[in-house]
Amino acid sequence: SQQGEEDPQALSIQEGENATMNCSYKTSINNLQWYRQNSGRGLVHLILIRSNEREKHSGRLRVTLDTSKKSSSLLITASRAADTASYFCATDSVGSSNTGKLIFGQGTTLQVKP
Amino acid sequence: NAGVMQNPRHLVRRRGQEARLRCSPMKGHSHVYWYRQLPEEGLKFMVYLQKENIIDESGMPKERFSAEFPKEGPSILRIQQVVRGDSAAYFCASSPLGVGGYEQYFGPGTRLTVT
């Protein structure tokens, strides 16, 4: 069954604007991670946020986590054309044998127009 | 410090042939995960291995798929008698520890096309 679901599925913005992507999940988690995937390429790790954390920052990225709502958001500020990519959230669920395997959402496709 | 290596990057097989996908983890990592990404979808977990051991294969199809991670050499994902539905991108990731809370480093993927 699908664990993470991203919203929106696609997002198109102008360079300089902020982009917000949301992720919802179903089961309790140990941590949640965000990844970026450029078209036809591998995944690049962006941020890991643990279940006892509420917010993390990394450069122009800000991630929030609300475990009561089972949701997370990724905010990219002052977007650039190079941010054009697909963004995935991935959860490491409690009870998944604690092996660290990740369950990915369907992704949000972000297009930043120059 | 080389990242996760996968080869081949592209693989074309006819229906019924075998596909072998290789993954060399980052230096010092002994935990490998394989994921499959179908077109326009997210990644789906397949199998988690440590050196010489399969720890979790709950995502592997019951037939035709197998994986190994020998003491020496890369991890191998093997698909026997491929069918068109096996066409996908296969990614491996490595981690320093096989428990939650650690970043997984992904390889560039192998894109398998079955004709």
Side-chain angles (χ1 to χ4, degrees):
Chain A
S1 63
Q2 188 65 35
Q3 168 74 325
E5 292 185 6
E6 278 96 340
D7 168 52
Q9 288 190 339
L11 181 60
S12 182
I13 59 175
Q14 293 294 134
E15 212 167 21
E17 294 181 338
N18 296 342
T20 300
M21 289 159 264
N22 303 296
C23 168
S24 61
Y25 55 91
K26 296 188 175 77
T27 61
S28 297
I29 60 171
N30 293 312
N31 66 75
L32 185 145
Q33 305 185 39
W34 284 91
Y35 287 83
R36 183 185 76 221
Q37 183 180 36
N38 290 87
S39 180
R41 308 288 289 274
L43 276 76
V44 174
H45 185 267
L46 298 176
I47 286 186
L48 181 154
I49 186 165
R50 302 184 192 283
S51 60
N52 61 352
E53 297 175 312
R54 292 296 166 258
E55 188 171 311
K56 275 189 102 166
H57 296 255
S58 177
R60 294 183 296 112
L61 306 180
R62 172 179 169 248
V63 167
T64 63
L65 179 65
D66 186 335
T67 52
S68 67
K69 295 181 180 177
K70 291 187 168 58
S71 68
S72 173
S73 68
L74 170 67
L75 168 67
I76 304 174
T77 59
S79 64
R80 305 167 183 167
D83 295 328
T84 295
S86 292
Y87 291 82
F88 295 92
C89 68
T91 54
D92 169 20
S93 296
V94 170
S96 63
S97 309
N98 210 28
T99 59
K101 71 182 182 186
L102 296 175
I103 302 175
F104 283 81
Q106 298 285 76
T108 292
T109 300
L110 172 66
Q111 182 186 31
V112 181
K113 298 175 185 174
Chain B
N1 184 15
V4 177
M5 311 274 282
Q6 286 188 253
N7 67 80
R9 295 290 303 276
H10 299 274
L11 182 62
V12 179
R13 285 287 178 266
R14 290 200 179 96
R15 278 180 297 170
Q17 291 185 320
E18 178 181 286
R20 281 188 180 232
L21 289 62
R22 296 175 193 79
C23 168
S24 296
M26 285 184 70
K27 188 176 180 181
H29 290 190
S30 59
H31 301 263
V32 167
Y33 301 81
W34 284 93
Y35 296 86
R36 176 166 66 175
Q37 184 177 34
L38 294 170
E40 308 301 325
E41 292 190 11
L43 280 72
K44 298 282 195 298
F45 168 79
M46 298 182 74
V47 62
Y48 160 52
L49 311 101
Q50 295 177 19
K51 286 281 187 181
E52 300 185 279
N53 284 304
I54 296 174
I55 306 302
D56 182 350
E57 57 182 345
S58 58
M60 287 278 269
K62 293 287 184 276
E63 297 176 347
R64 302 186 297 107
F65 284 71
S66 62
E68 62 176 11
F69 189 15
K71 187 176 180 181
E72 301 291 337
S75 175
I76 307 283
L77 179 67
R78 183 178 174 210
I79 311 172
Q80 294 178 293
Q81 299 176 318
V82 297
V83 301
R84 288 228 171 100
D86 296 332
S87 294
Y90 292 82
F91 292 94
C92 81
S94 73
S95 177
L97 287 175
V99 295
Y102 288 88
E103 176 181 339
Q104 292 185 17
Y105 296 82
F106 280 79
T110 293
R111 276 148 187 85
L112 172 66
T113 302
V114 179
T115 62

